Amino acid sequence: MALLVQKFGGTSVGTTERIEAVADKVCRFRSEGHDVVVVVSAMSGETNRLIALANDIMEEPTPREMDVLVSTGEQVTIALLSMALQKRGCDARSYTGGQVRILTDNSHNKARIRDIDAHRMQEDLDAGRVIVVAGFQGVDEHGNITTLGRGGSDTTAVALAAALKADECQIYTDVDGVYTTDPRVVDSARRLDRITFEEMLEMASLGSKVLQIRAVEFAGKYNVPLRVLSSFVEGEGTLITFEDDTAMEQPVVSGIAFNRDEAKLTISGVPDTPGSALSILKPISDANIEVDMIVQNVGQDNKTAFTFTVNRPDLKRAQDILRRISDEIGAGEVIGDSKIAKVSIVGVGMRSHAGVATQMFEALSKEGINIQMISTSEIKVSVVIDEKYLELAVRALHSTFGLESVGVDENA
Amino acid sequence: MALLVQKFGGTSVGTTERIEAVADKVCRFRSEGHDVVVVVSAMSGETNRLIALANDIMEEPTPREMDVLVSTGEQVTIALLSMALQKRGCDARSYTGGQVRILTDNSHNKARIRDIDAHRMQEDLDAGRVIVVAGFQGVDEHGNITTLGRGGSDTTAVALAAALKADECQIYTDVDGVYTTDPRVVDSARRLDRITFEEMLEMASLGSKVLQIRAVEFAGKYNVPLRVLSSFVEGEGTLITFEDDTAMEQPVVSGIAFNRDEAKLTISGVPDTPGSALSILKPISDANIEVDMIVQNVGQDNKTAFTFTVNRPDLKRAQDILRRISDEIGAGEVIGDSKIAKVSIVGVGMRSHAGVATQMFEALSKEGINIQMISTSEIKVSVVIDEKYLELAVRALHSTFGLESVGVDENA
């Protein structure tokens, strides 16, 4: 008899048939005696249809009106899912973000949740109703419709779970959990029963696109137990937990994340003086280009070299800016390289285990893979390598850290 | 420098190109110095698309969820039109029914407006903004989304005009005004510059589907000057006025309305006793069948006959009920006839002119058209005739009452 918040994404509600399947699932939980709040996204394709209409009229539609427009997508889904629930004899009521008073700031298209009024929802729950809430949207203090930006529905679900003190926030998606690495790259990749919030954050930010990083942060902040499950396959999914007593049993490395979305830029012959990093990176961030890894080599002859990574689509723009800066500060060549990949090992166990990085470098070296950049944090080690070695590197590391799924021996 | 409320229906905003055309029109009014509040419907086809989705799930979707669903249609249009206005440098802001606080009762799918909070709109108008409001929708006192039912956007426009004390409420549609009769039937039908509210009510209820009767009633009640114009053709349209000093100049008959949507039922041999009308009509109205004209012939041998008209799709159902009643009360035959048409002459001038009905009957008689039923009110006379004579009757009456357009002689 738990209170569950369940979130179903666009693919899970992509057709009326799939909405009916979601209703079946929700009803099953209800019949087991659980209270359920459902958060849904727009039917897949719908948001793009709406954006296309807007772009017919304006290349860069005003953010306020864009929010009014795209928020209709989720509103359609909440009505349809509520109908499907009611058809099954399951009392349900739909609410837009504004109606359950998901109060946000006024940053249209990327609003942040400030407060949720759980009062009305509690009344419905007490009356035995399933509550169906439109994800991704809210209202500012003046009642203007806002949207939360990419992955906003996950954030809505976590925020509702926090406000209602739900027992679990379940994110239904098209994968059945968080894996040690991408099963498309490593056959023996294994679903994790549990993963800590910190690990999940590193995995998410490194390209395991199961959950939006913002939702994970939010869940961590408000201690909301989060579970990733499949909409289409039965199973326990992966529970994202707070680090606890079981930490002692944690494996050293929990997963291998990777990412081919970045490009590398190097500017050499930079005068090795205070402020040179600033003079290079400020114009880049002023141009709204996000920088990920940054490495500065030790200088020689009062010259140094900077290398950093940006999102691939920003490479050309960053390179142009860097060439201009190079002229200004009298630095040397600017080299861009988009054929790179970032591979990371992630695990809270690293904290108490020395030599994990060394193990990683050794495994890569054995395969003849050259490391171009290194960056480390408390629970991860990332390297940049030539893109063509990506799969090889991921498989080697997956095996080195013993992440393979183990054959089950029923007689054991 | 007037305050105008302008309403554009689904056809007028059916594509992004048409929405841009509406924006052009609104901007023109703005540049002439007028304040403008725009009310829009869903893009044509959109409401049906949404209803089809609902029917995929449920044959009779719950009214509350249906309102959540279909209200998204207008919300899409307000966002797109606001963008189109902003693109033209015309400051604009969109609002859903709930956001401008169009407070309704809680009768989902057919809600009635109770109150509008004009405060927020006034602020926008003072700031020089065009306000774009979603027609057809509101919220009840608990914040549930409601819709006003058929033609609701006209009603929204009139209600906003009343709340804001607008100088004129302009209903843009696909015809360029109210005509003396349907131009598809009578070539010489003429656009009326003015028509009184009462006449418009009779014309609307009799099948001149230019304006929803409810919106006309509302406008009459709150003294809102209403104008019907074309979205696509320039022109003055038809102003719907309060009867005033110009009444003296009113023609006797302003227009000829007609309607082929009804069917006639006759039950004969009804015992001519008190309560017989009730015993016949109550079961009909209990079955939610609307009755229009009712005629009771003078009885003979203590028997009488009742004739009444219903909407054609209800004929079979009404006939079955009537046969049951006939058995119960010992009446005679029940005859249904769907091949009928109703033709009416409408005009406030009738009040002060005797003999108008006679003139009508004479004109029909001259054409050899038999009158099956007659019903009169203060400003109209309606007859039921054989459907096949409909066009002939309308043309004869149009000519008899001098409604033809007159050739313009520039030298006159």
Side-chain angles (χ1 to χ4, degrees):
Chain A
M1 310 310 102
L3 169 55
L4 305 175
V5 174
Q6 305 187 315
K7 182 256 169 179
F8 295 89
T11 316
S12 307
V13 295
T15 62
T16 48
E17 288 74 30
R18 288 194 170 175
I19 289 173
E20 303 240 25
V22 168
D24 283 336
K25 196 182 278 282
V26 171
C27 285
R28 209 154 56 238
F29 279 94
R30 274 298 292 151
S31 67
E32 288 166 8
H34 301 297
D35 286 328
V36 184
V37 175
V38 187
V39 175
V40 286
S41 303
M43 295 168 78
S44 55
E46 178 63 4
T47 306
N48 287 340
R49 185 185 75 87
L50 294 167
I51 292 173
L53 281 174
N55 287 338
D56 257 10
I57 289 177
M58 244 179 155
E59 225 167 274
E60 288 192 39
T62 39
R64 181 186 186 279
E65 299 308 331
M66 206 58 196
D67 282 352
V68 172
L69 182 69
V70 297
S71 62
T72 62
E74 289 78 27
Q75 192 171 328
V76 166
T77 319
I78 56 172
L80 295 176
L81 178 57
S82 299
M83 290 173 191
L85 287 166
Q86 288 160 355
K87 180 169 116 182
R88 285 161 177 74
C90 178
D91 196 4
R93 200 165 276 184
S94 74
Y95 292 105
T96 63
Q99 284 178 320
V100 281
R101 202 83 198 148
I102 297 181
L103 189 71
T104 72
D105 60 22
N106 59 7
S107 311
H108 287 289
N109 306 4
K110 48 177 197 293
R112 300 193 77 88
I113 296 176
R114 280 190 178 159
D115 192 32
I116 291 180
D117 178 8
H119 179 70
R120 184 167 185 176
M121 283 182 282
Q122 198 56 58
E123 267 180 28
D124 279 319
L125 290 174
D126 292 346
R129 287 189 197 103
V130 171
I131 302 172
V132 183
V133 180
F136 178 68
Q137 56 181 250
V139 281
D140 71 11
E141 58 183 332
H142 301 293
N144 295 304
I145 297 169
T146 54
T147 65
L148 309 180
R150 284 239 154 257
S153 290
D154 286 357
T155 308
T156 302
V158 172
L160 286 174
L164 291 163
K165 300 186 183 16
D167 295 289
E168 202 168 282
C169 180
Q170 304 182 331
I171 308 288
Y172 288 85
T173 171
D174 47 3
V175 298
D176 67 343
V178 180
Y179 274 70
T180 49
T181 195
D182 189 335
R184 285 168 302 187
V185 171
V186 181
D187 285 343
S188 60
R190 189 167 43 85
R191 181 177 58 74
L192 295 162
D193 290 329
R194 301 177 145 237
I195 186 172
T196 70
F197 272 100
E198 290 162 292
E199 287 169 335
M200 190 63 213
L201 276 178
E202 294 289 1
M203 296 290 273
S205 67
L206 291 167
S208 302
K209 284 155 191 152
V210 179
L211 268 177
Q212 282 297 321
I213 188 163
R214 195 166 143 205
V216 179
E217 283 172 352
F218 212 95
K221 187 168 167 190
Y222 289 98
N223 286 5
V224 174
L226 203 56
R227 189 184 290 275
V228 178
L229 312 96
S230 165
S231 289
F232 309 110
V233 183
E234 292 298 312
E236 291 298 303
T238 299
L239 181 66
I240 298 152
T241 60
F242 310 97
E243 207 178 341
D244 56 13
D245 302 343
T246 62
M248 276 183 61
E249 304 159 29
Q250 287 284 349
V252 177
V253 170
S254 294
I256 316 291
F258 58 85
N259 172 344
R260 329 173 195 243
D261 304 335
E262 296 187 12
K264 190 180 73 169
L265 281 150
T266 303
I267 174 167
S268 55
V270 178
D272 197 358
T273 53
S276 63
L278 181 70
S279 61
I280 289 165
L281 292 173
K282 189 163 183 304
I284 297 286
S285 72
D286 284 351
N288 266 319
I289 296 171
E290 256 180 77
V291 172
D292 180 23
M293 288 170 78
I294 304 172
V295 172
Q296 181 182 2
N297 293 350
V298 173
Q300 214 176 355
D301 300 336
N302 282 330
K303 298 277 183 185
T304 184
F306 272 97
T307 303
F308 58 90
T309 62
V310 296
N311 290 322
R312 262 189 214 182
D314 292 332
L315 175 61
K316 172 82 180 57
R317 215 152 50 93
Q319 209 163 354
D320 291 345
I321 293 170
L322 226 51
R323 291 211 167 109
R324 185 168 50 72
I325 298 167
S326 180
D327 288 347
E328 285 172 18
I329 63 174
E333 210 180 357
V334 172
I335 300 168
D337 181 3
S338 66
K339 301 270 178 222
I340 59 150
K342 186 163 80 164
V343 180
S344 310
I345 55 174
V346 175
V348 291
M350 283 185 204
R351 284 189 184 134
S352 43
H353 286 78
V356 177
T358 316
Q359 239 181 307
M360 180 188 198
F361 304 152
E362 192 180 0
L364 294 174
S365 150
K366 249 196 223 160
E367 302 292 343
I369 300 169
N370 186 40
I371 298 172
Q372 303 179 7
M373 292 174 82
I374 299 171
S375 149
T376 61
S377 81
E378 218 182 341
I379 66 161
K380 80 157 188 230
V381 181
S382 303
V383 297
V384 167
I385 59 173
D386 188 329
E387 187 182 16
K388 72 181 173 194
Y389 296 121
L390 173 62
E391 287 83 0
L392 180 62
V394 172
R395 282 177 206 133
L397 294 171
H398 199 261
S399 154
T400 296
F401 291 103
L403 298 174
E404 301 92 339
S405 48
V406 186
V408 176
D409 180 356
E410 290 195 296
N411 300 318
Chain B
M1 310 310 102
L3 170 55
L4 306 174
V5 175
Q6 305 186 315
K7 182 256 170 178
F8 295 90
T11 317
S12 307
V13 295
T15 62
T16 48
E17 288 74 29
R18 289 196 169 174
I19 288 173
E20 304 241 22
V22 167
D24 283 336
K25 197 183 277 286
V26 171
C27 285
R28 209 154 55 238
F29 280 94
R30 273 297 294 149
S31 67
E32 287 166 9
H34 300 299
D35 287 327
V36 185
V37 176
V38 187
V39 176
V40 287
S41 304
M43 296 169 77
S44 56
E46 179 62 5
T47 306
N48 288 340
R49 184 184 74 87
L50 294 167
I51 292 172
L53 281 174
N55 287 340
D56 256 11
I57 289 175
M58 243 178 155
E59 225 167 275
E60 289 192 39
T62 39
R64 181 187 185 279
E65 299 307 332
M66 204 59 194
D67 282 351
V68 172
L69 181 69
V70 296
S71 62
T72 62
E74 290 77 27
Q75 191 172 328
V76 167
T77 318
I78 56 171
L80 295 176
L81 178 56
S82 299
M83 289 174 192
L85 287 166
Q86 288 161 354
K87 181 169 113 180
R88 285 160 178 75
C90 179
D91 196 6
R93 202 165 275 184
S94 75
Y95 292 106
T96 63
Q99 284 178 321
V100 282
R101 202 81 199 149
I102 297 181
L103 189 70
T104 72
D105 60 22
N106 60 7
S107 310
H108 287 291
N109 306 3
K110 49 177 195 297
R112 300 193 78 88
I113 295 176
R114 280 191 177 160
D115 192 32
I116 291 180
D117 178 8
H119 177 69
R120 184 168 185 174
M121 283 182 282
Q122 198 56 59
E123 266 180 29
D124 279 320
L125 290 173
D126 292 346
R129 287 190 196 103
V130 171
I131 302 173
V132 183
V133 180
F136 178 67
Q137 56 181 249
V139 281
D140 71 10
E141 58 181 333
H142 300 295
N144 294 304
I145 297 169
T146 55
T147 65
L148 309 179
R150 282 238 155 257
S153 291
D154 287 357
T155 308
T156 301
V158 172
L160 286 174
L164 291 163
K165 301 187 188 5
D167 296 289
E168 202 168 281
C169 180
Q170 304 181 331
I171 309 287
Y172 288 84
T173 171
D174 46 3
V175 298
D176 67 343
V178 180
Y179 275 69
T180 49
T181 195
D182 189 335
R184 283 169 302 188
V185 170
V186 182
D187 284 343
S188 61
R190 188 168 43 84
R191 181 179 57 76
L192 295 162
D193 289 330
R194 298 175 148 242
I195 186 172
T196 69
F197 271 100
E198 289 162 294
E199 287 169 336
M200 191 63 212
L201 276 178
E202 295 289 1
M203 297 287 275
S205 68
L206 290 166
S208 301
K209 284 155 190 152
V210 178
L211 269 177
Q212 282 296 318
I213 189 162
R214 194 165 142 205
V216 179
E217 283 172 351
F218 212 95
K221 187 169 168 190
Y222 290 97
N223 286 4
V224 174
L226 204 57
R227 190 182 290 275
V228 177
L229 310 97
S230 165
S231 288
F232 308 111
V233 183
E234 291 298 312
E236 291 297 302
T238 299
L239 182 66
I240 298 152
T241 62
F242 311 98
E243 207 177 340
D244 57 12
D245 301 343
T246 62
M248 276 183 59
E249 305 159 30
Q250 287 283 350
V252 177
V253 170
S254 294
I256 316 290
F258 58 84
N259 170 346
R260 335 173 191 241
D261 305 335
E262 296 187 10
K264 191 180 71 167
L265 283 149
T266 301
I267 174 167
S268 55
V270 178
D272 196 359
T273 53
S276 64
L278 182 71
S279 64
I280 288 165
L281 291 173
K282 190 163 183 305
I284 298 286
S285 72
D286 284 352
N288 267 318
I289 296 172
E290 256 180 76
V291 172
D292 179 23
M293 290 170 76
I294 306 173
V295 171
Q296 181 182 2
N297 292 350
V298 173
Q300 216 177 351
D301 299 338
N302 282 330
K303 298 278 185 186
T304 183
F306 272 97
T307 303
F308 57 90
T309 62
V310 296
N311 290 322
R312 260 188 213 182
D314 292 331
L315 175 61
K316 171 83 179 57
R317 217 151 50 92
Q319 209 163 354
D320 291 345
I321 294 169
L322 226 50
R323 290 211 167 108
R324 186 169 49 73
I325 299 167
S326 178
D327 289 348
E328 285 172 17
I329 65 173
E333 210 181 356
V334 172
I335 299 168
D337 182 2
S338 66
K339 301 270 178 223
I340 60 151
K342 186 163 79 163
V343 180
S344 310
I345 55 174
V346 176
V348 290
M350 283 184 204
R351 283 190 185 133
S352 43
H353 287 77
V356 177
T358 317
Q359 240 182 303
M360 181 188 196
F361 304 155
E362 193 181 358
L364 295 175
S365 152
K366 248 196 226 160
E367 302 292 341
I369 300 169
N370 186 44
I371 297 172
Q372 303 180 7
M373 292 173 82
I374 299 171
S375 150
T376 62
S377 81
E378 221 184 336
I379 66 161
K380 79 156 191 230
V381 181
S382 303
V383 297
V384 166
I385 59 173
D386 188 327
E387 187 182 16
K388 72 180 172 195
Y389 295 122
L390 173 63
E391 287 82 359
L392 180 62
V394 172
R395 282 178 206 131
L397 294 170
H398 198 262
S399 155
T400 296
F401 291 104
L403 297 174
E404 301 92 338
S405 48
V406 185
V408 176
D409 180 355
E410 287 195 297
N411 299 318

